[in-house]
Amino acid sequence: MTGQLGDAWRHCIGAGRFELALRRDYQDSLALLQREIGFRHIRQHGLFSAGAGVHRPYEYGGERQVLHSFTYVDQVVDMYLELGIRPFVELGFMPPGLASGDQTVFWWRGNVTPPSDRAEWAALVRGTVAHLVDRYGLDEVRGWPIEVWNEPDLKDFWQHADQDAYHDLFEVTAHAVKDVDAGLQVGGPALSPGADDGWLPRFAEFVSARGVPIDFVSRHAYTSGAAQHVPFGVHQTLAPAATLLEQFAAPGRQLAGTALEGLPVHITEFNSSYRPDNPVHDTAFHAAYLAPVVAAAGDLVDSFSYWTFCDVFEEAGVPAALFHGGFGLLTHRQIRKPTFHLYAFLARMGGEVLARADDHLVTRDGTGRVTVLAWAAGQGSDGHRIRLSVPVGSPAVTAYVARSSVSEEAGNAWAAWREMGSPRSPGARQLDALREASEPARRHWSAPVVDGRAELDLTLAVHEVTLVEVTAVRDETPPWWDDARLLGGPA
């Protein structure tokens, strides 16, 4: 297989609700994420919820007035841009002062009812988008996708899961965005994995019939079953990882023959479990489980956003356990989890795809460096063997091979924490040990090059994800150098 390695995996990353971005541990986590991986956009709930303080109704002169306050919005977006990441704007949830009901979701009470005043909602959207354009420039904000709501097909996220009411919300919102500038990107409907096959075609029929502007389509993908509750957490069965790829492909299938066929498709949330309190996210199993998905999904969609990057994430309440939700335990001295390393490995791969299989991906960059991402995703995959012959190029005689791995034994802070007795509040020495345990296992060796190729014989442990980097050696050893003389022996 040849072609270019896409970067749909890098387009966006999910995060906790909007105002959590004001916290230092969140910002430190994001800085690490950008330094080691580097995402383009970040998406989160709650831009219009009470905690962000945007919609501020008041009374003056006996009349209702509304102030749009962007104090927190500016602080957060300024920080994002400084770190080289841009908003993937989610418009929601309903401000308490504009809500038509009192139904909420999550412990922080995001309101999920339609607006009590359609015109006031449109003014809020228009005012917010206009402020972003004024502050950051039209060319900049044109590059920020703007998504209308979150999972309106679920009663938990949209009152009665009323599709007609969502269509009305989308129409007024899309026009409000385009009132600011026709070149701004607006889309939706951010459907859940459980949406019936008719939801998206009906949405396409509505926007087409009404002439509602739309620039992209979005949905979510998860593989977890019903939650089995335990104190301060859940366990869930997981469908095969290939189910995620089937969900990614669904919008293209459902929109075939509609007016929305061919629009960009963004998976604005994906993971195994949608629950932040499911400890499966912290395991080596999870990285190996998702490896074939992140390696292949770019062929199906324009982006797919992992939900979420960081343990500063409070949908189910303030975390009661040390490990919680995100793919990096970054709030405690930036301890990384195996899935973090999967993404960091992918960030180090080259652009040209040389080979792809069920258990590995091979790429080459512009310098000739060959990279291999390999995984052992099966439950009984200990001792999984992969043999590869990789092109290094002539006239090299040897190649330098560097291998980094995470598994049940290596790069696994979760396993180390369990071995410590699962301390609730680790001390400084324990945190240092966890940070060290979270580092990948690394080794290196010299491989002979024959006819421009180096042979790799890789054996992977159970749930291992490994990155192998192969670089042709230009030998600059001085002619007088002799290792035998290191201890003063004769030449």
Side-chain angles (χ1 to χ4, degrees), residues 71-420:
T71 303
Y72 282 177
V73 171
D74 293 347
Q75 291 181 47
V76 171
V77 177
D78 287 355
M79 179 267 295
Y80 284 163
L81 296 181
E82 288 172 3
L83 293 177
I85 195 166
R86 291 164 169 79
F88 193 121
V89 182
E90 179 196 308
L91 297 179
F93 293 115
M94 194 58 58
L98 185 52
S100 59
D102 58 6
Q103 182 185 338
T104 62
V105 68
F106 307 138
W107 79 277
W108 48 270
R109 300 182 62 81
N111 190 286
V112 295
T113 67
S116 58
D117 187 316
R118 196 173 186 264
E120 189 171 311
W121 168 263
L124 172 63
V125 172
R126 194 179 302 109
T128 300
V129 175
H131 171 79
L132 295 175
V133 168
D134 288 344
R135 185 174 178 87
Y136 302 106
L138 181 57
D139 288 344
E140 173 68 37
V141 181
R142 277 178 172 174
W144 303 358
I146 301 173
E147 186 179 42
V148 182
W149 213 256
N150 176 77
E151 298 187 352
D153 60 294
L154 295 183
K155 293 180 180 179
D156 286 348
F157 285 101
W158 182 241
Q159 184 174 266
H160 310 307
D162 186 332
Q163 186 167 5
D164 289 338
Y166 175 75
H167 287 170
D168 183 70
L169 182 83
F170 187 88
E171 181 174 26
V172 66
T173 305
H175 283 301
V177 170
K178 296 294 188 176
D179 283 348
V180 178
D181 180 76
L184 296 170
Q185 303 174 54
V186 65
L191 297 180
S192 78
D196 69 78
D197 283 350
W199 227 100
L200 198 51
R202 289 192 298 271
F203 174 73
E205 182 180 356
F206 170 80
V207 297
S208 175
R210 299 278 296 179
V212 180
I214 183 170
D215 300 290
F216 65 87
V217 173
S218 61
R219 72 157 283 167
H220 299 164
Y222 293 99
T223 57
S224 50
Q228 305 166 23
H229 291 273
V230 295
F232 305 106
V234 300
H235 299 291
Q236 295 165 289
T237 58
L238 298 181
T243 307
L244 285 169
L245 298 177
E246 295 170 4
Q247 293 179 37
F248 288 9
R253 183 188 71 249
Q254 294 167 355
L255 293 174
T258 74
L260 304 190
E261 182 178 8
L263 280 185
V265 174
H266 296 299
I267 305 298
T268 50
E269 292 181 23
F270 94 96
N271 206 327
S272 57
S273 169
Y274 57 88
R275 294 281 307 213
D277 49 355
N278 186 332
V280 73
H281 300 116
D282 307 316
T283 63
F285 161 84
H286 197 250
Y289 175 83
L290 290 184
V293 176
V294 299
D299 294 337
L300 301 173
V301 292
D302 294 86
S303 77
F304 49 103
S305 178
Y306 185 94
W307 189 258
T308 66
F309 86 90
C310 175
D311 283 10
V312 185
F313 185 47
E314 300 180 353
E315 287 185 357
V318 176
L322 180 64
F323 286 77
H324 185 79
F327 68 32
L329 180 65
L330 307 178
T331 60
H332 291 80
R333 300 196 182 183
Q334 302 184 336
I335 300 169
R336 301 145 177 86
K337 298 178 187 176
T339 306
F340 181 97
H341 290 302
L342 166 64
Y343 272 78
F345 290 168
L346 194 59
R348 287 159 57 182
M349 299 196 74
E352 180 187 4
V353 176
L354 301 181
R356 178 181 289 162
D358 291 340
D359 57 1
H360 68 270
L361 173 67
V362 184
T363 66
R364 178 171 53 195
D365 67 15
T367 70
R369 179 184 63 107
V370 174
T371 50
V372 180
L373 181 68
W375 53 87
Q379 291 287 354
S381 54
D382 198 17
H384 183 71
R385 195 170 184 183
I386 300 173
R387 294 185 180 91
L388 298 170
S389 176
V390 301
V392 178
S394 299
V397 176
T398 62
Y400 176 74
V401 184
R403 179 175 178 179
S404 301
S405 299
V406 294
S407 65
E408 295 292 342
E409 300 296 329
N412 194 337
W414 164 263
W417 180 67
R418 296 285 294 122
E419 290 160 0
M420 289 177 180

